[in-house]
Amino acid sequence: MPVFAAITGTPLTVALVGAAVFLPGDLLKVVVTVLVAKGVHRASPGLIEPAPWPWRRAVEQRDA
């Protein structure tokens, strides 16, 4: 938002308020996505295998 405000010559507070308009919709989309993902994982528990964290892979490769 600071870059947008600087490029357009808009005050930062106005740019932030303008961006805040989109937050409720974005939060709603996140909630719907989480609920759908939970349902998919509950219906097919082995569908996606969990991957180790990147830093764990580096430690495992170093130890091997």
Side-chain angles (χ1 to χ4, degrees):
M1 293 317 309
V3 173
F4 171 77
I7 290 173
T8 60
T10 308
L12 183 58
T13 54
V14 174
L16 290 174
V17 169
V21 172
F22 297 102
L23 288 178
D26 289 345
L27 291 174
L28 179 65
K29 288 185 266 186
V30 168
V31 169
V32 169
T33 301
V34 168
L35 293 175
V36 168
K38 284 179 71 171
V40 169
H41 286 295
R42 191 176 299 126
S44 302
L47 187 62
I48 299 174
E49 293 295 323
W53 292 98
W55 53 85
R56 289 196 53 143
R57 269 188 262 142
V59 169
E60 292 169 359
Q61 289 175 355
R62 189 175 25 151
D63 292 341

